[in-house]
Each structure stands twice: as structure tokens, then as C-alpha cells.
Amino acid sequence: MPHRYTKRILDHLSREDGRSADVHELARALRAHGDDKDIVRASIQILLEEDSIEKDGDRIQLRSMGEEVVGVFQATRRGFGFVRPEVPCREGDLFVARGATNGAISGDTVRCTVARRHGWKGGSPAGRVEEVLDRGQTIFSGTVVKKKGAWLVEPDGRRLRNPVLIHDAGAKNLHVGVKVVFELTVAPDNDYLGEGVVTQVLGEAGRPDVETQAVMAAFGLSDEFPPEVVNAARDASQREEQMGEREDVRTLTTFTIDPPDARDFDDAISVMWNEDDKEWELGIHIADVAHFVRPGEALDEEARARGNSTYLPRLVLPMLPEILSNGVCSLQEGVDRFAKSVFVRLDERGVVQDTRFRSTCINSDKRFTYLEAQAWLDGDAKTARCHSRTDTEPTEAVLEALRQADRLARAIRQRRQRHGMISLELPTCVLEFNDEGHVSDVHPEDDAFTHTLIEMFMVEANEAVARLFDGLDVSILRRIHPEPSMDDLANLRMMAGASGFQVPDDPSRKDLQRLLDATRDHSASRAIHFAVLKTLTKAEYSPAAIGHFALASEHYAHFTSPIRRYPDLIAHRAMEAWLELTENGTQSIGGRHRVEMERRIRDDERTLPDNELISLGRHCTETEENSESAERSLREYLVLQHLHDQYLGEQLGAVVSGFNSGGMWVSLDRFLVSGQVTWEHFGTGRRDRWVELEGQGRLVAKGSGAVLAIGDPITVQVMRVDPASRQMDLLLTGRPDRTVDDLPKAFKRQTSPKDRYRKRGEVSKRKGRRGGGKSRHGR
């Protein structure tokens, strides 16, 4: 599919060091080898026909910025902003000064006029917003305050940075300190406050249930379903269940492993070892949601709109009504349930030998929690019983299946590691709550291998389904994760070099994994692992057959969670159509009959053409990102509230995560939230003037010669915490005892005034906008 490279070509040409390139340079930057070079050429032709790029001789470049630009506006703390054009231009983003935003706020689609093509000292071209074409967000939440007789709402989060004026306070019986949802009717513009109308009064600000509702409103999430959807779910749950051609595997020993608070059980596992053949048969049994949710029905339309379930702290917002997600679709212990099963035969090294697919009926023998299953594997029956959420003891057959699953998962992991699977070790934390819903403690997540066990098996099933449809002329919605381009590796090289590690010029997946392994016990481990994560592109949904770079997977699709992810349901429907034409997967079809079968699958209402899959993929990627942002926002609020109540003035361990024009960003150990140390809070004396060494990820104090680097462990004092705005101010109280004299010679030379460095406050607008701030993360 030629479109697989179009976005990456535009991204590469948008970078300062890649504004112009020939085909060979593009192929190398995009790590396209062999036949993939022809796909790059085809992608270039598509972009030329779309007028997205132009040719200058043999070189390809973006088109020049015109007199007007349409794009998405992003504001900064200081009031100015940048517009990222919808069609990338070789001049980059458009700078918009503080007085020229014309009421635009972050996320708005705007039309701008270009006033100056070349910015100061070669920076971005400048212009002004002429019109807001589309508000990115109009519904916000915030806390009511009263100042000088005026009723205001101080917005939550960072998108709106100033209070919003409310005129209808009396109609809503508002009082100071109440949390509300409001619609922005007049956007803030320079020194003029925005105006809004309160649409919902949630309750007293600071209460966890109120803050949860505020986040849901701000991110457009709901915990309720329309009546027609609830009725459709009730009807679907009572749909007559006939075995038909289903394979009856209820006597097969199966089990589930899930978190202790889980209620929607998507997947069950069966594992058998054949001693004679030295082979395993792994069964991955996935809830047959497609049997209950039919295309085009109200239930399906609602699931499609939601895209996925959202997992907020203490609250799940399901994609499907609970009568399905926690009822007839959930693979509960001891209950007959319909499933789509993937059976994978593997040798003793975990290498796939054969795969088959079936519609089945299963009956799960045991529901494990992760820690319960791990305790049984460790031979600790007492601990296992403490972590159990059922009254049933596992039979010896179940325990033997669990032990075989452990052996097989380790063999699969070793196989994947040989193929270059990226294994990141980044800290994660678990929140504990008191009866009122406030955070009472934060501690690291358990490292039980049973998490990896389930992950390895789910990946096997997802790959098997993607391989099946790759062999057919039928498109499905895939989970794609392209290789990082050469440009994306610059920051990683800087980070690794600062810690004494080298990254090859054209690193392979195995090179990246060797770096991760080498730094696993190093003081800079967290920073380098995070830098590798930022190097990797974000996975998304698309019909393009790109594969999954981090998993070292050539073909990959999401199939194993149809209760909570709509793309998985789409894959199930394609599988259902294939099973019906192959007598439940038992009939092999070839030749002209195969061509006819493929045509019938493509024409089936349960499968979608490429153009619809592309659109659906974008939608599901967006809903996933929105859910992740909502979860992150609420977690951040609750943890910051905990820090405000329990740790104000305390000194805590942290790690340097980045620099920008305002100072230094750090991430607190254990709590895993970010805060800023501004220049005046570095606590190293007035005579010290800190400068950032270009391309090194280091700050140097010009007076004392002290050095700080990204990834350094430090100690900070919590000075101010504002949970509503998700901001925390910190004071640097402890840092590594290191000066420029301790740096390698190559780095010392760059501390000379003649070399390139950025003084505090002198970061270029482009760099200050993009660099040094909080970092995104996720697999």
C-alpha cells in the first residue's frame, strides 16, 4: 500500500534537517530497503499528485507557505503561539504574536494571513489569526471564584490559562468553590477575559467524585448510554444461543488471568504440552462479541462512537453496556460462553508451527488474578489464596496448565527477544484510595511475570489473525507501529552519549535493545529508556500492512479485546465472515474458489473497504488518545492533590526529564508526576548562570561549573502545588556532585563561550515550543 509512507515522508520533510531530499536520502531516512524503496517512490508520486510536495530537479521538498495558512493553533504560557499548517510547508509552523491570536485557543483550527516570511534570526514566519474556523474544544470544567464583584471560573488543566467570566451565576445558584462545567461562548483575546455559560454544577471542588465528573465532561466522556442502546443491549443479551457449527471445547482446561477488580473478561487461555511431539498447543479464546453486536444497529453505532472503554481511577466507562461487557460477553468462571478461538501450535523453542481458527463454546475452569497466578507458580498457596477473588481452588489440571503456560510464555519471549523485540523498563505506579476516594498511598506496580505471560499470548493471537488476512485479498484494520526514521534518533544519541553509550549510525531493533540492556542497571536507565520510547512512533490503527516495530512483528492487528476496543470487534467480524465460508475454519479453499471466497468476504456487510477502514482507523486512534489523556489528567490531579495535602514543603527524590526557557522539568520518583524548577529556584547562588549545551542534554553553571544532565537523580522540595491547573513548583535542593572537570574532553570543549550554548531565557521560539517540556509516553 503506497500510502504507508506518505505521512512519514511529510514528517521528514517538515524537519529542519530534512527540508529537501532525493529519493535515496528519503529511503535511508525512512529505513526503507529492498522492495520498500519502490513503495517510497509510489508514495512520492501520490504526494506530487496531491500537490503536497514539489520537485526541484532530483530533490523533493514541501511546498512554500502561501499568503494564507489554515492549521491548528497551539498557545504557549506567555500568550503567543504557533499554527501547524494542515498541509505542511517547508517554512515550518507559523508564529503568532501575543496580540495577533484573535481569540484563538489551543486546539482551534484557524485561518491566518502571513505577515513575514522569515522570522527573527531565521525563525518561523510570522502572521496573525484572521478567523477561527473550528473550535477544538468548547466544553470545559473549572472552579467558581469571585473577584471584585465578578463571578469567574478558573479553568482546569492548561488549555485555558486565564479565568472565564460568568454572567448567569444567579440562575445557577453558584457559590465560591463549586466545580462547574461551562461552555465557552466568547474566547479570551489578549487582555480580555473569555466568557462562558455554566451548563452543569457538579459539586464542591476537590472531591474525587466531582473531579472525576469534571474530567469526563472536559474530555467528552459519558458513563450513561442512551435508552435505545440499553434496550438493544438487553435484547442482544437474550438472543438465542445455538451451537450450530461451533466447536465444543467446554471440556478443555481453560483459565483467565486479570486484575483483581476486573469484571469484563475478554480472554481465556488453554495450554497443552505434547511430550511425544515436543510441541505445545496454545489456545487463546476471545469473547465472541460479534455474535451479540451486529453491524449498523444502535448498539454498534454507540460502540463505534466511543471507540474503546476508558479506564479512569476507580471508574470504568465501558464501550458496551454492562449487561454485555460484564455479562453474556464476559468469559466468567464456570459459565458456558461463546468465543472466537485461535489455536497455535509451537515447538519447544516457542516457534509457531501451525495455526487454526474456530468459533467455539468454552467454560472457564478458573479465574485468576495476576498475583494469585504468580503465587501458585511460585508454590506459595497461602499468598495465592489471599489474592484470589473467587471461592474455588484451582484443580491440579488447571495448575498444570498454568505451569505449562509459564514455560511457553518464557520460550515465546526468548524467541521475540532473538528477533529484536523492544523491552522497555519504565516505572509505573498504583494508586491506593481511602473511603472518600482520595489517594492514600502511591506504590510501584507489581512485577509478576504473569503480566508478561498474558501479553505474550495475546500478541501471538493478534499476529495469527493479521497473518491470516495478509494471505487473503481482504483488508482489515491493523495496529501499525512504523520504524523510527533516522531523524528521530538524534535525541537518543545525545542522551546515550551523555551517559557514555554509543548508538550506531543506522541502528537496528537489536541495537536499540542492546542499548536498553546495557543501561538497565545504570543511573541513566530511566532517562535512556524514556528517550527510546520517545524515538518510537506512536502506534495507530490503519489498514496499511506495516507491522509493529517494537514487537518485531511483520503483521499485527488487535483481536483480543472486543469488549473494550472497537477495532478488535471489526477484526472479529472479518473472522466470522471467513469462518462461515470455510465451515468453521475446517475447509481449505484454493484456486478460483479461493478468489470467489475472498470476493464474498469483501462484499460482506461485516467487512469494510479501505477508505472506510482508513477513516475508522483515524477515529479509533483519536478516541484512544482522548481516553488516555483523560485517564492521565485525572491521575495527575489526584496525585498532585495527595502531594499538596501530605508533602508540601517536603524533600523528595526526582529525575531530571528536560529543559526549556523557563528552567528544568523533573519527574518525581514513586509519584511519577512532573513539576518545574524555575531558574530562580535552582538554589546554587546568584553568581551561577546556567546554560544549556546544545545537543548534549546538559546544563552547566557558568560560575561554579556545576553540571546537570537529563536523567540525573536529584532532590527537590515541594514548594507549590495546584492540582486544578496540573502544575507544581519545585526547589532544587540536591544534585550530583559533578562539574565540567568531570566531563569527557569532547564535552568539555563545548563549555567554552565560543561554542554553541543557549543561555537561560534565550531558547529560540521553535525550540522553546517543542523541547524540554513534559514528555508523552505509552506503548
Side-chain angles (χ1 to χ4, degrees), residues 574-611:
M575 174 66 71
E576 188 174 66
W578 179 82
L579 288 171
E580 287 179 2
L581 293 172
T582 57
E583 296 184 8
N584 199 26
T586 61
Q587 186 181 51
S588 178
I589 300 177
R592 61 184 180 85
H593 297 293
R594 180 187 180 91
V595 174
E596 174 62 17
M597 178 192 69
E598 292 170 347
R599 185 194 63 76
R600 291 176 64 184
I601 294 175
R602 288 195 301 271
D603 292 344
D604 194 292
E605 66 169 359
R606 290 167 292 188
T607 60
L608 300 174
D610 278 357
N611 61 329

Short mmCIF file of all heavy atoms in Angstrom, two decimals, residues 574-611:
data_model
loop_
_atom_site.label_atom_id
_atom_site.label_comp_id
_atom_site.label_asym_id
_atom_site.label_seq_id
_atom_site.Cartn_x
_atom_site.Cartn_y
_atom_site.Cartn_z
N ALA A 574 -14.65 -9.76 10.50
CA ALA A 574 -13.97 -10.32 9.33
C ALA A 574 -13.69 -11.81 9.54
O ALA A 574 -13.86 -12.63 8.63
CB ALA A 574 -12.67 -9.56 9.07
N MET A 575 -13.27 -12.16 10.76
CA MET A 575 -13.03 -13.56 11.08
C MET A 575 -14.31 -14.38 10.99
O MET A 575 -14.32 -15.50 10.45
CB MET A 575 -12.44 -13.67 12.50
CG MET A 575 -12.27 -15.10 13.00
SD MET A 575 -11.02 -16.01 12.06
CE MET A 575 -9.55 -15.18 12.65
N GLU A 576 -15.42 -13.82 11.46
CA GLU A 576 -16.71 -14.52 11.41
C GLU A 576 -17.11 -14.81 9.96
O GLU A 576 -17.58 -15.91 9.64
CB GLU A 576 -17.77 -13.66 12.10
CG GLU A 576 -19.10 -14.33 12.29
CD GLU A 576 -20.04 -13.46 13.11
OE1 GLU A 576 -20.42 -12.37 12.62
OE2 GLU A 576 -20.39 -13.87 14.23
N ALA A 577 -16.90 -13.80 9.08
CA ALA A 577 -17.23 -14.00 7.67
C ALA A 577 -16.38 -15.11 7.06
O ALA A 577 -16.88 -15.95 6.29
CB ALA A 577 -17.04 -12.69 6.90
N TRP A 578 -15.09 -15.15 7.41
CA TRP A 578 -14.19 -16.19 6.89
C TRP A 578 -14.58 -17.57 7.42
O TRP A 578 -14.60 -18.56 6.66
CB TRP A 578 -12.74 -15.86 7.26
CG TRP A 578 -11.75 -16.87 6.78
CD1 TRP A 578 -11.21 -16.96 5.53
CD2 TRP A 578 -11.18 -17.93 7.55
NE1 TRP A 578 -10.33 -18.03 5.48
CE2 TRP A 578 -10.29 -18.64 6.70
CE3 TRP A 578 -11.30 -18.36 8.87
CZ2 TRP A 578 -9.55 -19.73 7.12
CZ3 TRP A 578 -10.58 -19.47 9.31
CH2 TRP A 578 -9.71 -20.14 8.43
N LEU A 579 -14.90 -17.66 8.71
CA LEU A 579 -15.26 -18.95 9.30
C LEU A 579 -16.52 -19.52 8.67
O LEU A 579 -16.64 -20.74 8.46
CB LEU A 579 -15.43 -18.80 10.81
CG LEU A 579 -14.14 -18.57 11.63
CD1 LEU A 579 -14.48 -18.21 13.07
CD2 LEU A 579 -13.25 -19.81 11.59
N GLU A 580 -17.49 -18.66 8.37
CA GLU A 580 -18.73 -19.14 7.78
C GLU A 580 -18.50 -19.73 6.39
O GLU A 580 -19.20 -20.66 5.98
CB GLU A 580 -19.74 -17.99 7.69
CG GLU A 580 -20.31 -17.60 9.04
CD GLU A 580 -21.30 -16.45 8.94
OE1 GLU A 580 -21.56 -15.99 7.79
OE2 GLU A 580 -21.79 -16.01 9.98
N LEU A 581 -17.50 -19.21 5.65
CA LEU A 581 -17.23 -19.69 4.29
C LEU A 581 -16.26 -20.87 4.27
O LEU A 581 -16.03 -21.45 3.21
CB LEU A 581 -16.66 -18.54 3.44
CG LEU A 581 -17.63 -17.40 3.15
CD1 LEU A 581 -16.91 -16.24 2.47
CD2 LEU A 581 -18.79 -17.89 2.28
N THR A 582 -15.70 -21.22 5.43
CA THR A 582 -14.73 -22.32 5.49
C THR A 582 -15.19 -23.41 6.46
O THR A 582 -14.35 -24.15 6.99
CB THR A 582 -13.35 -21.80 5.91
OG1 THR A 582 -13.46 -21.13 7.18
CG2 THR A 582 -12.77 -20.83 4.88
N GLU A 583 -16.50 -23.47 6.69
CA GLU A 583 -17.06 -24.48 7.60
C GLU A 583 -16.34 -24.44 8.94
O GLU A 583 -15.78 -25.42 9.42
CB GLU A 583 -17.00 -25.88 6.98
CG GLU A 583 -17.85 -26.00 5.72
CD GLU A 583 -17.87 -27.42 5.15
OE1 GLU A 583 -17.34 -28.32 5.84
OE2 GLU A 583 -18.41 -27.61 4.05
N ASN A 584 -16.39 -23.26 9.54
CA ASN A 584 -15.76 -23.01 10.85
C ASN A 584 -14.26 -23.28 10.83
O ASN A 584 -13.67 -23.81 11.78
CB ASN A 584 -16.42 -23.83 11.95
CG ASN A 584 -16.13 -23.27 13.34
OD1 ASN A 584 -15.86 -22.07 13.50
ND2 ASN A 584 -16.17 -24.12 14.35
N GLY A 585 -13.62 -22.90 9.71
CA GLY A 585 -12.17 -22.99 9.62
C GLY A 585 -11.64 -24.36 9.29
O GLY A 585 -10.43 -24.58 9.28
N THR A 586 -12.52 -25.31 9.02
CA THR A 586 -12.06 -26.69 8.78
C THR A 586 -11.82 -26.98 7.31
O THR A 586 -11.20 -27.99 6.97
CB THR A 586 -13.11 -27.70 9.31
OG1 THR A 586 -14.34 -27.51 8.60
CG2 THR A 586 -13.35 -27.49 10.80
N GLN A 587 -12.30 -26.12 6.42
CA GLN A 587 -12.20 -26.38 4.99
C GLN A 587 -11.12 -25.50 4.36
O GLN A 587 -11.11 -24.29 4.54
CB GLN A 587 -13.54 -26.12 4.30
CG GLN A 587 -13.56 -26.50 2.83
CD GLN A 587 -14.91 -26.20 2.20
OE1 GLN A 587 -15.43 -25.11 2.33
NE2 GLN A 587 -15.48 -27.21 1.54
N SER A 588 -10.20 -26.12 3.66
CA SER A 588 -9.16 -25.39 2.94
C SER A 588 -9.64 -25.09 1.53
O SER A 588 -10.07 -26.00 0.82
CB SER A 588 -7.86 -26.21 2.90
OG SER A 588 -6.87 -25.53 2.17
N ILE A 589 -9.59 -23.83 1.14
CA ILE A 589 -10.11 -23.41 -0.17
C ILE A 589 -8.99 -22.81 -0.99
O ILE A 589 -8.27 -21.92 -0.52
CB ILE A 589 -11.26 -22.39 0.00
CG1 ILE A 589 -12.40 -23.02 0.80
CG2 ILE A 589 -11.76 -21.89 -1.35
CD1 ILE A 589 -13.55 -22.08 1.08
N GLY A 590 -8.83 -23.27 -2.22
CA GLY A 590 -7.77 -22.77 -3.08
C GLY A 590 -8.27 -22.48 -4.48
O GLY A 590 -9.45 -22.67 -4.81
N GLY A 591 -7.37 -22.02 -5.34
CA GLY A 591 -7.67 -21.76 -6.74
C GLY A 591 -8.77 -20.74 -6.93
O GLY A 591 -8.88 -19.76 -6.20
N ARG A 592 -9.60 -20.96 -7.95
CA ARG A 592 -10.65 -19.98 -8.26
C ARG A 592 -11.68 -19.90 -7.15
O ARG A 592 -12.36 -18.88 -6.96
CB ARG A 592 -11.31 -20.33 -9.58
CG ARG A 592 -12.01 -21.67 -9.63
CD ARG A 592 -12.55 -21.97 -11.03
NE ARG A 592 -13.21 -23.26 -11.09
CZ ARG A 592 -14.48 -23.46 -10.76
NH1 ARG A 592 -15.20 -22.44 -10.32
NH2 ARG A 592 -15.03 -24.66 -10.85
N HIS A 593 -11.86 -20.99 -6.38
CA HIS A 593 -12.79 -20.97 -5.26
C HIS A 593 -12.30 -20.01 -4.17
O HIS A 593 -13.11 -19.36 -3.51
CB HIS A 593 -12.97 -22.37 -4.69
CG HIS A 593 -13.56 -23.35 -5.65
ND1 HIS A 593 -14.86 -23.25 -6.11
CD2 HIS A 593 -13.02 -24.44 -6.28
CE1 HIS A 593 -15.11 -24.23 -6.96
NE2 HIS A 593 -14.01 -24.97 -7.08
N ARG A 594 -10.99 -19.94 -4.04
CA ARG A 594 -10.41 -19.01 -3.06
C ARG A 594 -10.69 -17.56 -3.47
O ARG A 594 -11.04 -16.73 -2.65
CB ARG A 594 -8.91 -19.26 -2.93
CG ARG A 594 -8.22 -18.34 -1.92
CD ARG A 594 -6.70 -18.55 -1.98
NE ARG A 594 -6.01 -17.71 -1.05
CZ ARG A 594 -5.71 -18.06 0.20
NH1 ARG A 594 -6.07 -19.25 0.65
NH2 ARG A 594 -5.05 -17.23 1.01
N VAL A 595 -10.51 -17.27 -4.77
CA VAL A 595 -10.77 -15.92 -5.27
C VAL A 595 -12.22 -15.55 -5.02
O VAL A 595 -12.53 -14.42 -4.60
CB VAL A 595 -10.43 -15.83 -6.77
CG1 VAL A 595 -10.85 -14.47 -7.34
CG2 VAL A 595 -8.94 -16.06 -7.00
N GLU A 596 -13.13 -16.49 -5.26
CA GLU A 596 -14.54 -16.24 -5.02
C GLU A 596 -14.81 -16.02 -3.53
O GLU A 596 -15.61 -15.16 -3.14
CB GLU A 596 -15.37 -17.42 -5.54
CG GLU A 596 -16.86 -17.35 -5.23
CD GLU A 596 -17.56 -16.14 -5.85
OE1 GLU A 596 -17.00 -15.52 -6.79
OE2 GLU A 596 -18.67 -15.81 -5.39
N MET A 597 -14.16 -16.81 -2.68
CA MET A 597 -14.33 -16.64 -1.24
C MET A 597 -13.88 -15.26 -0.80
O MET A 597 -14.55 -14.57 -0.02
CB MET A 597 -13.54 -17.72 -0.49
CG MET A 597 -13.62 -17.58 1.03
SD MET A 597 -12.42 -18.61 1.90
CE MET A 597 -10.89 -17.79 1.45
N GLU A 598 -12.71 -14.82 -1.30
CA GLU A 598 -12.19 -13.50 -0.94
C GLU A 598 -13.17 -12.41 -1.37
O GLU A 598 -13.40 -11.44 -0.63
CB GLU A 598 -10.82 -13.29 -1.58
CG GLU A 598 -9.73 -14.19 -0.99
CD GLU A 598 -8.45 -14.13 -1.79
OE1 GLU A 598 -8.48 -13.59 -2.92
OE2 GLU A 598 -7.41 -14.62 -1.29
N ARG A 599 -13.75 -12.56 -2.56
CA ARG A 599 -14.71 -11.57 -3.04
C ARG A 599 -15.93 -11.54 -2.13
O ARG A 599 -16.42 -10.45 -1.78
CB ARG A 599 -15.14 -11.90 -4.47
CG ARG A 599 -16.06 -10.84 -5.09
CD ARG A 599 -16.73 -11.35 -6.36
NE ARG A 599 -17.60 -12.49 -6.09
CZ ARG A 599 -18.82 -12.38 -5.54
NH1 ARG A 599 -19.29 -11.19 -5.19
NH2 ARG A 599 -19.55 -13.46 -5.34
N ARG A 600 -16.42 -12.70 -1.72
CA ARG A 600 -17.59 -12.75 -0.86
C ARG A 600 -17.31 -12.14 0.51
O ARG A 600 -18.18 -11.49 1.10
CB ARG A 600 -18.07 -14.20 -0.72
CG ARG A 600 -18.66 -14.78 -2.03
CD ARG A 600 -19.03 -16.23 -1.87
NE ARG A 600 -20.10 -16.42 -0.88
CZ ARG A 600 -20.56 -17.61 -0.50
NH1 ARG A 600 -20.05 -18.71 -1.04
NH2 ARG A 600 -21.52 -17.70 0.40
N ILE A 601 -16.10 -12.32 1.02
CA ILE A 601 -15.75 -11.70 2.30
C ILE A 601 -15.72 -10.18 2.16
O ILE A 601 -16.23 -9.44 3.00
CB ILE A 601 -14.39 -12.22 2.82
CG1 ILE A 601 -14.47 -13.71 3.15
CG2 ILE A 601 -13.94 -11.43 4.06
CD1 ILE A 601 -13.15 -14.33 3.55
N ARG A 602 -15.12 -9.70 1.04
CA ARG A 602 -15.04 -8.25 0.83
C ARG A 602 -16.43 -7.64 0.67
O ARG A 602 -16.67 -6.51 1.09
CB ARG A 602 -14.20 -7.94 -0.42
CG ARG A 602 -12.71 -8.18 -0.24
CD ARG A 602 -11.92 -7.53 -1.35
NE ARG A 602 -12.32 -8.03 -2.67
CZ ARG A 602 -11.80 -9.09 -3.26
NH1 ARG A 602 -10.84 -9.77 -2.65
NH2 ARG A 602 -12.21 -9.48 -4.46
N ASP A 603 -17.37 -8.39 0.05
CA ASP A 603 -18.72 -7.88 -0.17
C ASP A 603 -19.62 -8.04 1.06
O ASP A 603 -20.72 -7.48 1.09
CB ASP A 603 -19.37 -8.62 -1.35
CG ASP A 603 -18.70 -8.27 -2.67
OD1 ASP A 603 -17.97 -7.27 -2.71
OD2 ASP A 603 -18.90 -9.02 -3.65
N ASP A 604 -19.14 -8.76 2.05
CA ASP A 604 -19.95 -9.00 3.25
C ASP A 604 -20.12 -7.69 4.03
O ASP A 604 -19.19 -6.89 4.14
CB ASP A 604 -19.26 -10.05 4.13
CG ASP A 604 -20.18 -10.59 5.21
OD1 ASP A 604 -20.53 -9.83 6.13
OD2 ASP A 604 -20.54 -11.78 5.14
N GLU A 605 -21.32 -7.45 4.57
CA GLU A 605 -21.58 -6.21 5.32
C GLU A 605 -20.73 -6.10 6.59
O GLU A 605 -20.58 -5.02 7.15
CB GLU A 605 -23.06 -6.11 5.71
CG GLU A 605 -23.51 -7.17 6.71
CD GLU A 605 -24.88 -6.91 7.28
OE1 GLU A 605 -25.49 -5.88 6.92
OE2 GLU A 605 -25.33 -7.73 8.10
N ARG A 606 -20.17 -7.22 7.02
CA ARG A 606 -19.35 -7.19 8.24
C ARG A 606 -17.93 -6.72 7.99
O ARG A 606 -17.18 -6.45 8.94
CB ARG A 606 -19.34 -8.59 8.87
CG ARG A 606 -20.66 -9.00 9.48
CD ARG A 606 -20.71 -10.47 9.81
NE ARG A 606 -20.70 -11.30 8.60
CZ ARG A 606 -20.90 -12.62 8.60
NH1 ARG A 606 -21.13 -13.24 9.75
NH2 ARG A 606 -20.88 -13.31 7.48
N THR A 607 -17.50 -6.64 6.74
CA THR A 607 -16.17 -6.13 6.42
C THR A 607 -16.30 -4.77 5.75
O THR A 607 -17.34 -4.43 5.18
CB THR A 607 -15.41 -7.09 5.50
OG1 THR A 607 -16.14 -7.25 4.28
CG2 THR A 607 -15.22 -8.45 6.17
N LEU A 608 -15.23 -4.00 5.81
CA LEU A 608 -15.25 -2.62 5.32
C LEU A 608 -14.20 -2.42 4.23
O LEU A 608 -13.12 -3.01 4.29
CB LEU A 608 -14.98 -1.64 6.47
CG LEU A 608 -15.96 -1.69 7.65
CD1 LEU A 608 -15.47 -0.79 8.77
CD2 LEU A 608 -17.36 -1.28 7.20
N PRO A 609 -14.49 -1.55 3.24
CA PRO A 609 -13.48 -1.23 2.22
C PRO A 609 -12.38 -0.36 2.80
O PRO A 609 -12.51 0.21 3.90
CB PRO A 609 -14.28 -0.47 1.16
CG PRO A 609 -15.44 0.11 1.90
CD PRO A 609 -15.77 -0.88 2.99
N ASP A 610 -11.28 -0.21 2.05
CA ASP A 610 -10.11 0.51 2.54
C ASP A 610 -10.42 1.94 2.98
O ASP A 610 -9.95 2.39 4.03
CB ASP A 610 -9.02 0.54 1.46
CG ASP A 610 -8.20 -0.74 1.45
OD1 ASP A 610 -8.45 -1.61 2.30
OD2 ASP A 610 -7.32 -0.87 0.59
N ASN A 611 -11.22 2.66 2.19
CA ASN A 611 -11.47 4.06 2.53
C ASN A 611 -12.21 4.19 3.86
O ASN A 611 -11.93 5.09 4.67
CB ASN A 611 -12.25 4.77 1.41
CG ASN A 611 -13.62 4.14 1.16
OD1 ASN A 611 -13.81 2.94 1.34
ND2 ASN A 611 -14.57 4.95 0.73
#
